[in-house]
Amino acid sequence: MATTINTELSAAEAFKTRPLTPLQRVHRILHLHPEISPMIALVIAMLVFQLANERFLSPGNISLILQQVAVVGSLAVAQTLVILTGGIDLSVGALMILVSMVMGSLVGLTGLPGPIAFAIGILVGLLAGLLNGVLVSVLRLPPFITTLGTLSIFLALALLMSNGVAIQGEKLGGFLLWTAVAFSVGPFNFTVGVILMLLMYVGMGFVLHQTGWGRHVYAVGSDPLAARLSGINTRRVLMSVYAVAGVLVTLSAWILIGRNNAATTSAAVDVNLDSITAVVIGGTSLFGGRGALLGTFLGAITVAVFRNGLSLARVDVLYQTLAIGILILFAVALDQWIRRAGVKG
Amino acid sequence: MTAEPILRARGIVKTYGAVVALDGVDLDLNAGEILAVIGDNGAGKSTLIKCLTGAEIPDVGNLEVAGSEVHFRRPQDAHAAGIETVYQTLSLAPDLDIASNMFLGREIRRRGPLGGVLRMLDHKRMRQLAAENVSKLGIRTLQDITQVVETLSGGQRQAVAIARAVAFGSRIVVLDEPTAALGVRETAQVLDVVTGLREAGLGVILISHNMPNVFQVADRIHIQRLGRRIATISPESHTPAEAVAIMTGATSAPAHVGALSKEDRP
Ligand SMILES: Nc1ncnc2c1ncn2[C@@H]1O[C@H](COP(=O)(O)OP(=O)(O)OP(=O)(O)O)[C@@H](O)[C@H]1O
Ligand SMILES: [Mg+2]
C-alpha cells in the first residue's frame, strides 16, 4: 500500500507537516513579504480608478502622481527608519518646514550661495535629529511625546524666523529650485525632486538591507533588550537613526522648496501624518522590527493614487480623507493579523 | 590545578531597589571545567551570571578574567574577553532570521571595497557559517537558516542561542537553563557539546534545575540560596538528594570544595 511508505513519520510529525490551509498560506506569505499587501492594494486601487476615469493611467497623470508624492514620499523614508526602531516621529514635517525656511532665508534674505545654505540646512537637520535622538535614547523619553514636543519647537522656530512671510521663488536662486527642474522620458514628465526621492529610497534601502547598521536598526526595533545582550549599542543605534532622519528631512525640505516654488510655513501641514500613513499602509509594523522601504514607497504611492483617483472621479475632498482613514485602519488591522499567531509549519 | 581560575568573582552585590538579588557572591571557574550553578527560583542565579557577563553592572564586587581585573560595562566587553552567554531570555531578535541573529553585532563584511567602503555584508558567508554551527548541534528540525526566529519553537530558539554562544566563545561559555525547552534527545546533544567545550579547555558555567543533568556533566556545583553562595560541592562528594537539601535549606551547608585558589585552601 502506498500509505505505508510514510511509516517512519510519527503521528505528531505527520500533524506538523500537514498541509496548510489556504488562509495559513496567505498569512505566511504576507508575513515573509510585507510589501505584498500594499502592492495588492495599489493594483486594485489603480484598476478601480482606471475604470472610473480612463485618463487615470495616462502618462501625464502618472507623472503628476509621482510629483505629488515626492514630498511625502521622501519624508516617509525618514519616518520608516524611526518606525522600524519601534518609535514614531511627529516632528519630521515641522522640521522640514523649519529647514526649508532656514535655507530659503539664507539665500533669499542674506544672499548666501545655494550650496552653502544647503550645507547649513543639512547641519540644522542633523542637530534637530540629534536632539530627538538624545531625548529618546539618553533620557529615554517616549518617542511620541518627545517628537510632539519638538514638533512645536521646530514649527515655532520656523514661524519666528519667517514672521509669516514666504520667500518667493525668484529670490531663491537656481540651486534651491533645482528640485523643480522638469525633464521628459518618453511621454513621462519627471522632476529632479522625484529622482531625488527615488534615490533616497534606493540609498536607504541599500543601507537597511546590506549593512550591519541596517541589521541593528531592525534588531533594536524587534527586541531592544535582546539587541543589547547580543552586543549592540542600542543607544547609539537609536541616536543615529534620529540623526539620519534629520539629514533625510533636509533633502525633503529641498524637494518641498522646488514643489512650492517658495519657502513658506503655510505649506504641507498634514505631510507628517501622511508620512506615517505611507509607512503603515506599506506594511511596516508600528511595533518596530518588521517592514521595508519598498512597502513604504508603495504606501506613499497608494495614498497619492487614492487622492488623485478620487479627485479625477470627482469625489469630494472630505470623502477622500474618509477613504484614506479607512485604508489606514485596514492596514493596521492587517498588520496585527500578520503579527499575531506565529507562523508555524 | 595550579593555574589561576579563568574567571574569579569576589563579593558581588546586586540590588534592585529594595530587592537584594546578590548578597556578596564569590565564584571561581577554572579552564577546562564545567561549573553548575543550582538554586531555587529567585535565588539569584541569572542575576549572578548577568553580573559576570556585562549584562548588569554589579553594585559592589570585583571580577578577574585569567588573573587580570576587568570591569564589564556592557555585553560587548565580555564578548571581547572571550565570554559568551546564553541568557535565560535567549536574547534573539524575533523579526530577524537565524543567520542574522547568529551574527548580530558582529556581522561579517564583504572583502574588498564593497565591504570596506560600502560596508556591505557578506550574507552568503554568514548563512553558510550559521548553517555549519547549527548543524554541529545536531538539531534536526533547524534546517532553513533564513527562517525568521519568531516562527521557531522554544526549543529551536534555544538551539540557535546555544549555537551562537558555542561559535563565538573562546574562553568561557555561560548557559542559563539552556535545555529547559529541549527534548530528551536535544538535551543530550547539548550536554555533549558542553562537555566538548570542556575538552577544548574552555570554562563552562551551566545553570540548570535538572539534577540528573547537573550530576552527569558538572565538575563542581555552586549552590545559590537567597542571593548567597551557600556551598560548592562536587558530584563525587554529594548525592543529588543532598544537593537539593542544601539548596532548599533542609540541611546546613558544607564547606566549599574544589581547589579554587590559594587562599581558599586549608
Ligand atoms: N530587573 C530586575 N528588577 C527587579 N528585581 C529583579 C530584577 N532581576 C531580578 N530581580 C530579583 O532578583 C532576585 C533574583 O532573581 P534571578 O532572576 O537572579 O533568580 P534566578 O535564580 O535566576 O531564578 P529562576 O530559577 O527563576 O530563573 C529575584 O528576587 C528577582 O525578583
Ligand atoms: Mg534565572
Side-chain angles (χ1 to χ4, degrees):
Chain A
M1 281 167 87
T3 48
T4 56
I5 294 169
N6 285 339
T7 42
E8 65 278 19
L9 281 183
S10 72
E13 277 167 332
F15 175 70
K16 269 187 181 164
T17 54
R18 73 195 182 281
L20 298 170
T21 66
L23 194 65
Q24 279 174 319
R25 217 173 287 244
V26 170
H27 190 216
R28 186 173 186 175
I29 291 171
L30 291 183
H31 194 275
L32 287 177
H33 305 281
E35 62 283 348
I36 287 183
S37 22
M39 183 91 82
I40 293 171
L42 182 58
V43 170
I44 293 175
M46 295 209 298
L47 288 176
V48 170
F49 291 131
Q50 175 65 15
L51 288 178
N53 186 325
E54 75 263 8
R55 278 214 341 264
F56 180 75
L57 284 181
S58 67
N61 196 46
I62 290 177
S63 307
L64 180 66
I65 290 176
L66 276 176
Q67 288 173 30
Q68 285 169 337
V69 88
V71 171
V72 168
S74 71
L75 212 52
V77 176
Q79 191 68 259
T80 305
L81 276 183
V82 173
I83 290 183
L84 277 178
T85 66
I88 192 144
D89 198 334
L90 301 178
S91 72
V92 283
L95 179 58
M96 175 173 71
I97 293 170
L98 172 62
V99 173
S100 72
M101 285 314 301
V102 167
M103 298 194 298
S105 306
L106 286 175
V107 173
L109 303 182
T110 67
L112 223 58
I116 293 177
F118 179 69
I120 295 175
I122 295 263
L123 196 67
V124 172
L126 178 68
L127 289 176
L130 276 174
L131 174 64
N132 279 334
V134 167
L135 293 174
V136 168
S137 69
V138 180
L139 299 184
R140 291 166 196 269
L141 304 181
F144 185 92
I145 301 298
T146 303
T147 55
L148 190 61
T150 52
L151 151 72
S152 297
I153 293 173
F154 297 155
L155 208 53
L157 287 178
L159 289 168
L160 285 171
M161 241 180 73
S162 70
N163 256 326
V165 184
I167 298 152
Q168 294 305 328
E170 57 268 23
K171 291 192 191 156
L172 288 175
F175 187 82
L176 287 188
L177 290 177
W178 188 51
T179 52
V181 171
F183 59 93
S184 332
V185 179
F188 296 97
N189 232 319
F190 294 108
T191 61
V192 171
V194 169
I195 302 300
L196 182 58
M197 171 196 67
L198 294 176
L199 286 178
M200 288 167 74
Y201 275 95
V202 173
M204 285 317 293
F206 174 86
V207 170
L208 275 180
H209 297 290
Q210 298 297 334
T211 72
W213 185 78
R215 297 284 83 190
H216 299 173
V217 170
Y218 278 91
V220 166
S222 188
D223 185 339
L225 183 60
R228 194 182 89 85
L229 291 178
S230 299
I232 290 175
N233 191 336
T234 52
R235 207 183 274 190
R236 195 186 298 162
V237 170
L238 267 186
M239 186 111 75
S240 62
V241 161
Y242 283 93
V244 169
V247 172
L248 291 172
V249 167
T250 306
L251 299 179
S252 303
W254 196 16
I255 299 174
L256 180 75
I257 291 177
R259 178 98 187 113
N260 286 334
N261 192 29
T264 163
T265 52
S266 64
V269 213
D270 44 4
V271 286
N272 205 106
L273 289 180
D274 281 357
S275 75
I276 296 173
T277 306
V279 175
V280 170
I281 290 178
T284 293
S285 172
L286 285 173
F287 301 99
R290 197 170 60 82
L293 275 175
L294 176 58
T296 298
F297 180 69
L298 295 171
I301 300 273
T302 305
V303 175
V305 157
F306 259 70
R307 287 205 194 279
N308 176 289
L310 290 171
S311 9
L312 273 189
R314 297 184 187 282
V315 173
D316 188 88
V317 175
L318 292 178
Y319 287 102
Q320 294 179 25
T321 310
L322 187 77
I324 286 168
I326 293 169
L327 197 61
I328 293 174
L329 292 181
F330 186 74
V332 174
L334 189 69
D335 174 44
Q336 277 288 16
W337 179 64
I338 294 172
R339 213 171 160 90
R340 224 184 312 119
V343 210
K344 291 277 149 57
Chain B
M1 257 182 273
T2 49
E4 310 231 23
I6 194 165
L7 182 71
R8 185 182 142 100
R10 284 293 173 271
I12 306 285
V13 174
K14 181 71 192 178
T15 59
Y16 296 101
V19 178
V20 179
L22 295 176
D23 190 3
V25 178
D26 298 349
L27 180 145
D28 293 88
L29 174 72
N30 297 309
E33 131 175 294
I34 298 174
L35 176 71
V37 176
I38 63 172
D40 275 337
N41 294 127
K45 305 180 296 295
S46 296
T47 309
L48 174 60
I49 62 107
K50 282 183 193 161
C51 288
L52 302 180
T53 60
E56 295 273 10
I57 302 170
D59 301 334
V60 185
N62 51 46
L63 201 57
E64 284 174 17
V65 173
S68 43
E69 193 165 346
V70 291
H71 296 276
F72 296 152
R73 305 203 59 81
R74 50 181 69 89
Q76 295 91 300
D77 300 344
H79 292 169
I83 304 176
E84 285 298 318
T85 313
V86 177
Y87 294 100
Q88 199 168 2
T89 51
L90 297 183
S91 68
L92 301 171
D95 294 287
L96 298 185
D97 65 16
I98 296 173
S100 300
N101 264 291
M102 194 89 104
F103 287 92
L104 198 51
R106 37 200 159 188
E107 289 80 3
I108 302 176
R109 288 202 213 129
R110 290 213 197 178
R111 260 169 281 173
L114 283 180
V117 181
L118 290 178
R119 318 208 133 221
M120 262 180 101
L121 296 179
D122 195 340
H123 289 294
K124 206 173 140 204
R125 186 159 164 67
M126 285 192 285
R127 279 181 196 149
Q128 180 196 332
L129 288 173
E132 279 171 23
N133 286 314
V134 166
S135 70
K136 266 188 219 152
L137 272 187
I139 307 288
R140 261 185 319 179
T141 54
L142 270 185
Q143 279 152 356
D144 181 6
I145 216 72
T146 61
Q147 207 177 338
V148 176
V149 162
E150 194 178 33
T151 66
L152 299 179
S153 75
Q156 291 173 323
R157 289 182 203 200
Q158 232 161 16
V160 173
I162 294 168
R164 174 170 70 179
V166 170
F168 287 101
S170 58
R171 232 184 207 153
I172 297 170
V173 173
V174 180
L175 306 136
D176 192 348
E177 302 193 24
T179 58
L182 294 184
V184 176
R185 190 177 152 277
E186 285 79 6
T187 299
Q189 245 141 12
V190 167
L191 294 181
D192 266 359
V193 169
V194 168
T195 44
L197 292 173
R198 170 174 58 193
E199 308 318 323
L202 277 77
V204 179
I205 298 179
L206 173 71
I207 298 181
S208 178
H209 288 291
N210 184 320
M211 288 305 138
N213 287 348
V214 165
F215 274 75
Q216 184 192 331
V217 298
D219 297 300
R220 290 183 304 125
I221 302 168
H222 166 131
I223 305 182
Q224 186 75 16
R225 178 172 161 71
L226 302 175
R228 291 206 169 94
R229 175 178 74 165
I230 52 163
T232 312
I233 61 170
S234 80
E236 290 78 40
S237 67
H238 291 72
T239 66
E242 287 167 340
V244 171
I246 298 168
M247 189 176 106
T248 56
T251 30
S252 59
H256 301 293
V257 301
L260 307 177
S261 56
K262 279 169 228 126
E263 57 266 40
D264 278 350
R265 282 188 200 151

